[in-house]
Amino acid sequence: MLYFLITYTIVLITAIWMTRIARRFFFRDRDGLRRIFNILDLQFPVSDSELTSMIRDMLPGVRKAVRLHLWVDFLFMAGLYPSIALLCYMLGEKTGMGIYFFWIIGALQGGAWLCDILENIFLLRKLRKPEPGKQFPTYSFFVYTKFIIAYAGLGVTLPVAFYFWMTGDFSSTTVPYAMALLAETALAVWLLNRVR
């Protein structure tokens, strides 16, 4: 449980850091109007040409902020995917027959992490040289795969964890960790509201 608390803390700290960086995300459209965007706009563009034009329209300072955001995202990944995997492994041990299912979902988080790394590498290269290329379908595959695996991990673990807590089927040694997680989450939400 201690390792889960550490990885979760990394997730919260880097999420706050990335939110602060994302306040500088904007570009000028063809009419010269300032358009605010977020990292999801870069992850889910309609086409490679849309992504390329969005990056070309960024001012140098904005491009630098996006680059920093992507580098901090590598730290975020180091907290997120191990957190989901650890949660899968902890809950798998408690479920008995479902242990293999949770272990598989936990192991798949390594694949999601790899897809996220490759996605960031693609975007970092695109920021350096915003030209159309043939790798866009592969990039989209990495983005969708990462989200599907990560959300599957969260989707199967969080309800089960909630069930165990509501039924009282948990170890008393986990209570201080759960309180620390709640306190960290509340503090992070408060800080995120102040950062925006």
Side-chain angles (χ1 to χ4, degrees), residues 18-167:
M18 288 189 298
T19 302
R20 186 170 176 83
I21 295 167
R23 291 190 310 179
R24 296 181 276 175
F25 286 5
F26 71 92
F27 64 93
R28 300 279 177 199
D29 64 10
R30 291 182 182 153
D31 299 326
L33 298 173
R34 181 178 166 164
R35 303 275 308 244
I36 296 173
F37 69 95
N38 61 39
I39 201 68
L40 291 176
D41 294 322
L42 294 176
Q43 292 177 327
F44 296 102
V46 175
S47 64
D48 187 50
S49 60
E50 180 189 354
L51 177 62
T52 302
S53 65
M54 189 185 302
I55 292 172
R56 281 184 182 156
D57 293 340
M58 290 178 193
L59 297 172
V62 176
R63 203 177 289 185
K64 185 177 178 183
V66 172
R67 193 174 291 113
L68 176 60
H69 188 282
L70 293 171
W71 282 109
V72 174
D73 189 34
F74 284 113
L75 294 173
F76 178 78
M77 293 177 214
L80 178 66
Y81 299 109
S83 291
I84 298 171
L86 286 169
L87 195 56
C88 288
Y89 299 148
M90 287 187 293
L91 291 173
E93 293 292 326
K94 291 191 69 60
T95 59
M97 293 293 289
I99 188 169
Y100 298 111
F101 172 75
F102 282 99
W103 276 73
I104 289 169
I105 296 292
L108 284 173
Q109 299 310 311
W113 192 352
L114 177 63
C115 287
D116 208 351
I117 289 169
L118 294 172
E119 169 202 325
N120 276 17
I121 290 170
F122 174 87
L123 282 175
L124 286 166
R125 286 181 179 163
K126 195 80 158 175
L127 284 166
R128 193 174 344 110
K129 196 173 180 183
E131 295 176 358
K134 296 180 180 176
Q135 297 85 16
F136 183 73
T138 306
Y139 167 71
S140 294
F141 171 79
F142 291 146
V143 172
Y144 284 103
T145 302
K146 165 194 82 169
F147 276 107
I148 289 169
I149 294 173
Y151 281 127
L154 290 172
V156 298
T157 55
L158 294 180
V160 174
F162 183 72
Y163 169 79
F164 284 135
W165 271 89
M166 292 306 291
T167 59

